[in-house]
Amino acid sequence: MKTLQATNDFVIKFANVNGSGSASANTLFAKSIARMGVPVSPRNIFPSNIQGLPTWYEVRVCEAGWNARRGGADLMVAMNPQTWEKDVAEVTPGGYLFYDSTRPMPAGKFRDDILVIGMPLTEICNATYTDPRQRQLFKNIIYVGALAALLGIELAEVEKLIGEQYKGKEKLLEPNVKALRMGHEYALAKLPCPLGLQVQRADKVGDKVFLEGNNAAALGAVFGGATVCAWYPITPSSSMAEAFAKHCRKYRMDKETGKNNFAIVQAEDELASIGMVIGAAWNGARAFTCTSGPGISLMSEFIGLAYFAEIPATLVNVQRAGPSTGMPTRTQQSDVLLCAFASHGDTKHPILFPQDAKEAFEFTADALDIADRLQTPVFVLTDLDIGMNERLCDPLTWDDARTYDRGKVLTKEQLDAGARFGRYLDVDDDGITYRTYPGTHPSRGSFFTRGTSRDRYARYTEEGTAYVDNMQRLLRKFETAKHFMPKPVVRPAAKPSRYGAIYYGSTAPAMEEALALFEADGIHLDALRVRAFPFQDAVIDFVNDHDHVFVVEQNRDGQLRTLLVTEGALDPARLGAVLHYDGTPITARFIHGDIAKRLSALQVTPLRRTVAGGASGE
Amino acid sequence: MTYLAKPKLHHPDLPKNALGLTRRDYEGTISTLCAGCGHDSISAAIIQACWELAVQPHRVAKLSGIGCSSKTPTYFLDKSHGFNSVHGRMPSVLTGANLANRELLYLGVSGDGDSASIGLGQFAHSMRRGVNMTYIVENNGVYGLTKGQFSATADRGSKSKRGAVNTDEGIDLACLAMQLGASYVARSFSGDKHQLVPLIKGALTHPGAAFIDVVSPCVAFNNHEGSTRSYDYVRHHNEAVNSLDVITMHKEITAEYPPGSLQEVRQHDGSVLRLRKLADDYDSSSRIAAMSYVQSHYARGEIVTGLLYVEPDAIDLHEHLGTTMRPLNELGDKELCPGSAALAQFNASLR
C-alpha cells in the first residue's frame, strides 16, 4: 500500500465525544503547529448538545496559508466508537487512522487501503491514573503527545503552550506535561514514527493572531463604544455576548470607582433584547445585540420601528443553517434577504459582510458609527464558520486618532443658539435628519417618537403626501448610506476576462483558494468581494462589465444574487448561482469544480482535470 | 390630532410650584379620547403629581406601547421626549432607555391589553429586574380601539357590552407585580384623584420598580351593567386600605395623625411616604400579607386600592449591574475606547 506523503499540507480530523474535554487538547495541537510557523485552520463540527454526542475537530495544515476547509481527512484520530464507521470511511485512500487499541477491534472494522495505528490509550491511562475524570482528560493530552511524535511537531512548542495555559496553576501544569511526554515517548518507542505526513518548521505565520470571530466582534463593540448590550442566548452567537462581558470587565471598569462603564442585560427573549437596544440608542447610548437567524425573525417588528422612527441599532447576526431551528450548529449565509428587508412594509437595512475575525472586529466598530450616522438598524452578518472557529488572521489594528461619529445630534447649546429643529426635516439634503436626546433642553427639542406616520416635525399624520415625502427621504438616506459602508474588494484576473465571480463573508477564504486554482489552470476569472449592502456602484458596474458573473454563496436560493438582480436591475440570466448549503463550510474544491463545469458549458477553454493534493471528501 | 392646539392664555394667578411652573407647563396636547374616558383623569393626575413634585418636565421620559392608554403620553408633559413603541413592548424600550441615562425619570404608560396580553412577558421581566420607573397600567378590562373585546384583566363572569360572558380567568397585574419583585405596588381608581395623585408621586420618588394598576372605566365599551370595570361597580366595590401623603425631602412634616394609625416609610432620596391606615389589618410592608389580603378580598368581589406594598430599601437594575453613576450616554471615546496599546497586548495574547 502506498501511503500519503505530505509536508505541511494535509488535513487531520479528530472524532470525539462532546463533553469529554477534547476541545482544549485539540486546540493545543493546532496552536503548536502554528507556533512552528506553519499556518493551520481548525474547525469545530459539533452537535446541539451538552454531553455525549459526536463532535469533530478538523485541522487543515497548509503552508500555502489557505484558511478554507479543504474537505477529506488524511489522518483520522478516531476517539468515538459511535461514529467509527463513518470516520474510518472518510479517510483519504493511503491515509492514516489513529485509534485507541485498548479493546481489540474485529478486522472487518478497518480498511486495507489506509495505515492503521493503534495505541492503547485507555490502558495507559488506567494504569497511570485512578480518578476517572483524570483518566478522561489526560487521555486527550497523551494522544497529543503521540501525534507530536508521529507528525514531527516539536514537543518544546507544545510544552511552552501548556506552560502559558497553566501559568500560575503549577499544580495542573506538571501532570499535563507528564501526560504529554508519556504519549510522546510511547509513540517514539512503539508507533511507526515518523508518518508520511509531517510538520516542518516554516515562517509562514508571521505576526498573525489566532482569533475567533465572535470574540473579535465583541472586542469591536468595546472599541466602537457600545455601552449597552442586550441579548438572548442562541447558538452560534452566545459566545459574542459572553466575550463582550469579559472584555468589558477588563477594559471598561472605572479605575477610581470600580463601577462599570457598560450595562449588559440577558433579556427574556430576542424581542426584549432589541427593544432594549432601541430604547438605549433612542436615549443616546451606543447599543447592540447579537443573535442568529431565529432571533432576527423575532426582532422583525422592532426592526421596522427602528427603521421608520429612525433609531440607531447594531445587530450582529451570526448565521446558522435555517429555516426554523434548522441545523443550529451548522453554518450558512441564509439570512441575507431576511436582514436586508426585515419587518413589514417597505424597509431596507444596511448590512456589513465581514470575511473573517479581523473584519468582524472592524465592521462591528464601524457599524456602531454607521448606525448613529444613519439613525437606522445596521446588521453585521457573520456566521458560525467565522464566529465560532479560531482562525489565523492579521493582527487587529486601531487608529487612536479615530473618534466616534455620533451622527446628527443637536446639543443644548445648538438649541439655545436657535437651531431650527424638525425631527424629520431634511436640512442637509442627504436624507438624514437631526435628533435630540431626551432631557437635553427645558423647552426646545422635545419630540414624540412613534411607529406611526408623521410629518417633518414628528406630528402624527395620515396624510398621503406627508407619508410619501417621508418614505422618499428614507430612500435618499439609503442612497447616502453607500458612502459610509466598506467598499467592495476587486481582484482582477491576470488577464482581462469576460467572466467574473462575486462572493462575500465566510466564502472568501475558499473563493481565494479557488481563484488560485483557476489561475493555475490558465482560466481567468475576475473577482469581487461584496462587503456591504446597499451595493455601491462598483458592484453593479462589475456585473455590467462582464458577460457572465458567478455569485458564490452558502444558501439554497442565491440570496445575494436575488438582491443584486433587484437592487441593480440586472439581467438574472447573466448571474450564475454557485451554491453550497449543506451546513459545512464551502470549499475551494467545490467552487472550482462547479464554476469549471459551468464555464465549459458556456463553451470557454477546454478544461484539464485538476487534482489538488489529498483526495475524496466532497 | 396634534393640530388641535390648546389656548395659550391662562389665568395669571395660577399657582406655581418650586420651579415657578404652573400646571399648564406640565400639560400636553388636547386628548382625542372619548369624553369621560378614565384615562384622561389619569393624565390629569400625572400632570398634578409632576407639578406638585416640581419635576423638571424635560427630565422625564414618557414611554408607552399601543392602545388607547398608550396614546395618552401626548396629552401630558409636552416638554418631555415621548416614545410610542410597539404593542406590549414598552417595558424593554424603557429598560434600555433607563440603562442609557440613569438620571432621567422614566414613566411607562400602558393598558391592560398592552401589558396583560402581548406584553405580559415584558411586564413581568421589567418588574423582576427592578427597573427604576413608574409603570402605570390604565386598566379598563377591554380593548377600546378595536371596539370592545375582553382583555386579559377582565374578571371571569363579567359581561361585555354585547352581552358575552368572559369565561377566562382575569389577570391581577398588581398581585403579579408583587410576586415578581416590584418594590412599590399600588392600585387606584381613575375616578379618585385624591387617592391617585399621591400614589403617582410616591411612585415617581420611589427608587425602583413602581407599578400602579389604575382601574379606568371605558365609557364606550365597558361602563354597563354586568361589567366589573364600570364607574358604578368600582365605586361600590372599592376598598381603600390606606391613604398616602408624599413628603419630599425639602418639606417639613407638619400634619398630625392619631397614634398607631400612621406608618412612615423613608426612601433613599430622603422622601417620606406617610401612610394613614384605613383598614386596621392591612400591612403594606409585607409582600405576602399584601398578596393574601388582596386576593381574599377579591374573592369577595372587592377591589382593594391604595399603596399595597412598598419596600423602602429597593435596589434598582443599575445597582444590580454596578453601572457607573454617570449616564452611559455621556461617556465618550476617552472612557470607552481601550486604544491601540491595549489592542497590541490583546494581539500578543493570541499568538
Side-chain angles (χ1 to χ4, degrees):
Chain A
M1 181 187 60
K2 192 167 171 287
T3 53
L4 283 178
Q5 306 292 312
T7 300
N8 291 353
D9 187 16
F10 56 90
V11 172
I12 170 166
K13 190 165 178 176
F14 298 82
N16 298 100
V17 177
N18 78 341
S20 69
S22 59
S24 64
N26 295 346
T27 308
L28 178 71
F29 171 84
K31 269 196 160 176
S32 63
I33 295 173
R35 284 288 177 93
M36 287 176 66
V38 180
V40 60
S41 62
R43 280 182 169 77
N44 291 296
I45 304 155
F46 60 99
S48 182
N49 181 262
I50 310 294
Q51 199 175 47
L53 285 188
T55 173
W56 292 270
Y57 187 73
E58 204 176 270
V59 181
R60 180 177 186 184
V61 180
C62 180
E63 192 173 334
W66 301 121
N67 271 330
R69 178 171 169 260
R70 191 202 70 183
D74 303 326
L75 165 59
M76 179 68 71
V77 180
M79 303 301 294
N80 186 358
Q82 281 174 280
T83 56
W84 174 270
E85 261 130 52
K86 186 173 174 264
D87 295 334
V88 171
E90 199 181 337
V91 180
T92 313
Y96 306 83
L97 174 75
F98 178 93
Y99 80 108
D100 182 355
S101 61
T102 305
R103 280 204 195 156
M105 281 283 207
K109 292 276 186 187
F110 297 104
R111 276 167 53 186
D112 50 16
D113 62 341
I114 57 177
L115 183 70
V116 177
I117 307 150
M119 178 170 172
L121 288 164
T122 307
E123 195 184 303
I124 296 171
C125 283
N126 289 357
T128 319
Y129 307 101
T130 48
D131 176 55
R133 187 67 188 154
Q134 280 193 339
R135 283 177 175 172
Q136 177 61 55
L137 292 177
F138 288 126
K139 192 198 281 183
N140 302 323
I141 300 294
I142 291 171
Y143 75 60
V144 172
L147 291 170
L150 288 163
L151 299 169
I153 298 169
E154 294 168 18
L155 203 60
E157 290 293 359
V158 193
E159 287 186 9
K160 216 165 108 191
L161 278 164
I162 296 179
E164 289 165 21
Q165 190 182 346
Y166 295 108
K167 203 173 162 192
K169 299 176 200 159
E170 270 65 29
K171 261 192 186 158
L172 293 169
L173 173 68
E174 202 189 320
N176 272 287
V177 171
K178 200 179 139 210
L180 180 81
R181 286 186 185 162
M182 199 191 317
H184 195 255
E185 278 156 25
Y186 181 95
L188 283 180
K190 306 209 172 153
L191 303 181
C193 298
L195 294 188
L197 308 177
Q198 285 293 298
V199 181
Q200 204 174 73
R201 187 166 274 282
D203 58 353
K204 296 290 160 57
V205 173
D207 64 349
K208 284 194 162 61
V209 297
F210 211 43
L211 180 57
E212 242 178 25
N214 283 351
N215 192 9
L219 193 68
V222 173
F223 274 69
T227 50
V228 174
C229 165
W231 67 292
Y232 185 74
I234 180 171
T235 303
S237 74
S238 308
S239 60
M240 178 176 170
E242 283 158 0
F244 181 72
K246 192 185 76 188
H247 294 316
C248 281
R249 285 193 294 272
K250 183 164 181 189
Y251 299 117
R252 285 284 192 76
M253 304 270 274
D254 188 287
K255 284 189 185 67
E256 280 164 32
T257 61
K259 294 282 188 183
N260 298 333
N261 285 335
F262 62 92
I264 302 169
V265 176
Q266 184 189 316
E268 59 270 30
D269 51 36
E270 285 87 349
L271 290 75
S273 313
I274 189 67
M276 289 178 201
V277 166
I278 289 169
W282 171 75
N283 211 2
R286 290 206 148 171
F288 78 97
T289 188
C290 45
T291 186
S292 191
I296 303 294
S297 292
L298 287 165
M299 293 175 186
S300 288
E301 184 190 26
F302 255 133
I303 293 168
L305 172 77
Y307 173 79
F308 200 45
E310 300 182 67
I311 300 165
T314 298
L315 300 95
V316 179
N317 176 1
V318 188
Q319 297 166 99
R320 64 190 216 184
S324 188
T325 310
M327 295 194 285
T329 60
R330 299 291 186 261
T331 197
Q332 249 178 20
Q333 299 178 307
S334 50
D335 296 338
V336 177
L337 290 173
L338 171 71
C339 293
F341 302 117
S343 209
H344 54 274
D346 291 323
T347 61
K348 290 188 195 197
H349 313 293
I351 306 175
L352 294 98
F353 300 101
Q355 66 165 348
D356 62 2
K358 183 175 165 63
E359 281 192 349
F361 168 79
E362 293 168 354
F363 288 8
T364 305
D366 292 347
L368 291 157
D369 272 353
I370 295 168
D372 266 349
R373 169 55 48 184
L374 300 174
Q375 302 172 20
T376 201
V378 173
F379 291 89
V380 179
L381 229 57
T382 68
D383 57 28
L384 185 144
D385 191 36
I386 293 172
M388 289 190 73
N389 290 305
E390 286 179 304
R391 194 71 42 77
L392 280 174
C393 62
D394 288 331
L396 306 183
T397 54
W398 186 264
D399 177 3
D400 287 328
R402 174 173 173 169
T403 53
Y404 299 149
D405 178 5
R406 298 307 317 265
K408 298 184 184 179
V409 181
L410 289 178
T411 61
K412 180 171 184 295
E413 292 67 36
Q414 287 167 308
L415 290 165
D416 273 332
R420 182 171 167 224
F421 177 64
R423 174 64 186 97
Y424 300 106
L425 191 65
D426 186 8
V427 288
D428 299 331
D429 205 28
D430 57 1
I432 307 171
T433 62
Y434 285 82
R435 62 177 182 143
T436 55
Y437 298 154
T440 299
H441 195 284
S443 58
R444 292 175 187 165
S446 72
F447 66 95
F448 214 85
T449 302
R450 46 165 64 90
T452 39
S453 183
R454 64 247 97 116
D455 66 12
R456 294 171 176 186
Y457 293 91
R459 291 174 302 211
Y460 175 75
T461 179
E462 289 182 27
E463 279 295 325
T465 48
Y467 170 83
V468 170
D469 173 65
N470 187 53
M471 292 297 277
Q472 286 297 321
R473 181 182 54 77
L474 289 171
L475 275 186
R476 281 205 300 283
K477 183 165 90 165
F478 202 63
E479 189 61 30
T480 302
K482 293 176 182 174
H483 302 296
F484 295 95
M485 309 296 284
K487 308 274 179 291
V489 179
V490 182
R491 294 171 54 110
K495 286 185 182 165
S497 174
R498 292 154 54 206
Y499 299 95
I502 285 178
Y503 60 105
Y504 60 97
S506 69
T507 302
M511 188 68 212
E512 279 159 21
E513 188 182 348
L515 289 170
L517 293 176
F518 282 119
E519 209 171 282
D521 291 346
I523 294 174
H524 301 293
L525 192 65
D526 295 328
L528 177 141
R529 179 161 71 89
V530 166
R531 300 204 295 170
F533 176 73
F535 304 120
Q536 290 96 344
D537 294 346
V539 178
I540 308 304
D541 291 347
F542 180 86
V543 177
N544 286 327
D545 290 347
H546 292 87
D547 289 352
H548 199 85
V549 173
F550 301 98
V551 186
V552 185
E553 48 189 323
Q554 301 179 63
N555 56 60
R556 186 192 69 179
D557 293 342
Q559 297 194 13
L560 192 90
R561 179 179 171 275
T562 301
L563 208 51
L564 283 164
V565 167
T566 56
E567 294 295 308
L570 298 169
D571 175 7
R574 288 177 44 220
L575 290 166
V578 177
L579 306 170
H580 175 96
Y581 59 95
D582 67 1
T584 62
I586 195 167
T587 63
R589 286 179 184 178
F590 171 82
I591 299 171
H592 180 248
D594 199 74
I595 293 185
K597 215 164 45 195
R598 287 151 186 268
L599 279 174
S600 79
L602 289 163
Q603 294 176 338
V604 227
T605 49
L607 285 175
R608 65 184 158 84
R609 177 135 180 78
T610 54
V611 180
S616 70
E618 274 307 318
Chain B
M1 275 182 261
T2 42
Y3 56 84
L4 283 179
K6 281 192 176 179
K8 291 259 191 276
L9 284 174
H10 56 79
H11 196 282
D13 296 333
L14 274 179
K16 290 182 174 163
N17 65 11
L19 294 176
L21 300 176
T22 70
R23 273 193 296 273
R24 297 293 308 272
D25 296 315
Y26 291 82
E27 289 179 351
T29 53
I30 285 176
S31 168
T32 60
L33 299 175
C34 310
C37 176
H39 297 0
D40 284 334
S41 310
I42 301 171
S43 295
I46 291 170
I47 290 166
Q48 181 72 19
C50 289
W51 177 77
E52 285 182 18
L53 284 176
V55 165
Q56 288 184 289
H58 75 292
R59 303 299 287 174
V60 178
K62 43 181 190 175
L63 298 101
S64 62
I66 296 290
C68 290
S69 55
S70 292
K71 291 167 98 178
T72 65
T74 28
Y75 315 142
F76 55 81
L77 296 177
D78 65 1
K79 301 292 185 293
S80 308
H81 275 62
F83 197 149
N84 207 179
S85 67
V86 289
H87 198 27
R89 324 264 190 240
M90 173 274 285
S92 65
V93 179
L94 188 151
T95 302
N98 184 300
L99 290 174
N101 183 358
R102 59 190 301 175
E103 288 183 351
L104 301 185
L105 279 177
Y106 292 90
L107 175 59
V109 177
S110 178
D112 41 311
D114 202 53
S115 278
S117 292
I118 188 169
L120 191 61
Q122 296 214 341
F123 162 81
H125 292 281
S126 65
M127 296 302 157
R128 285 180 60 228
R129 290 191 182 100
V131 180
N132 187 359
M133 62 179 170
T134 297
Y135 190 133
I136 297 174
V137 164
E138 308 187 345
N139 186 353
N140 56 18
V142 79
Y143 283 86
L145 279 178
T146 53
K147 309 212 183 299
Q149 301 83 0
F150 285 119
S151 85
T153 63
D155 292 319
R156 175 174 278 172
S158 63
K159 261 194 200 143
S160 79
K161 199 175 178 184
R162 288 180 215 148
V165 175
N166 180 32
T167 54
D168 296 347
E169 188 58 46
I171 293 172
D172 183 338
L173 289 171
C175 273
L176 212 51
M178 284 192 269
Q179 199 256 315
L180 291 165
S183 43
Y184 178 107
V185 180
R187 175 148 45 221
S188 189
F189 172 43
S190 64
D192 186 352
K193 195 174 178 179
H194 293 294
Q195 183 190 44
L196 180 56
V197 172
L199 287 175
I200 296 173
K201 285 166 71 181
L204 288 168
T205 55
H206 181 74
F211 175 71
I212 311 176
D213 178 30
V214 188
V215 180
S216 173
C218 173
V219 288
F221 295 105
N222 209 7
N223 198 29
H224 48 269
E225 207 175 319
S227 157
T228 57
R229 295 284 184 279
S230 66
Y231 279 106
D232 283 349
Y233 184 92
V234 179
R235 282 205 183 96
H236 287 126
H237 296 80
N238 187 347
E239 280 293 316
V241 289
N242 48 32
S243 90
L244 175 69
D245 270 327
V246 179
I247 299 134
T248 50
M249 47 193 188
H250 42 268
K251 273 193 191 151
E252 243 179 272
I253 300 170
T254 50
E256 295 206 359
Y257 295 96
S261 71
L262 201 71
Q263 188 195 355
E264 284 193 351
V265 180
R266 193 169 291 273
Q267 303 196 106
H268 280 330
D269 66 343
S271 62
V272 173
L273 305 178
R274 172 170 281 191
L275 278 167
R276 193 159 51 85
K277 278 191 181 184
L278 299 176
D280 287 343
D281 53 344
Y282 196 80
D283 178 7
S284 62
S285 68
S286 163
R287 196 186 291 272
I288 292 164
M291 285 165 68
S292 161
Y293 188 99
V294 171
Q295 301 247 331
S296 52
H297 282 250
Y298 173 75
R300 283 185 238 154
E302 291 167 3
I303 303 168
V304 175
T305 60
L307 179 52
L308 304 179
Y309 172 70
V310 63
E311 183 185 327
D313 300 321
I315 291 177
D316 88 324
L317 178 60
H318 279 284
E319 286 189 63
H320 292 306
L321 295 176
T323 337
T324 178
M325 292 309 287
R326 280 182 68 190
L328 291 176
N329 69 356
E330 285 180 8
L331 303 178
D333 310 58
K334 199 170 114 320
E335 295 91 347
L336 299 178
C337 186
S340 63
L343 198 56
Q345 279 183 4
F346 178 74
N347 283 326
S349 73
L350 299 172
R351 289 188 180 115

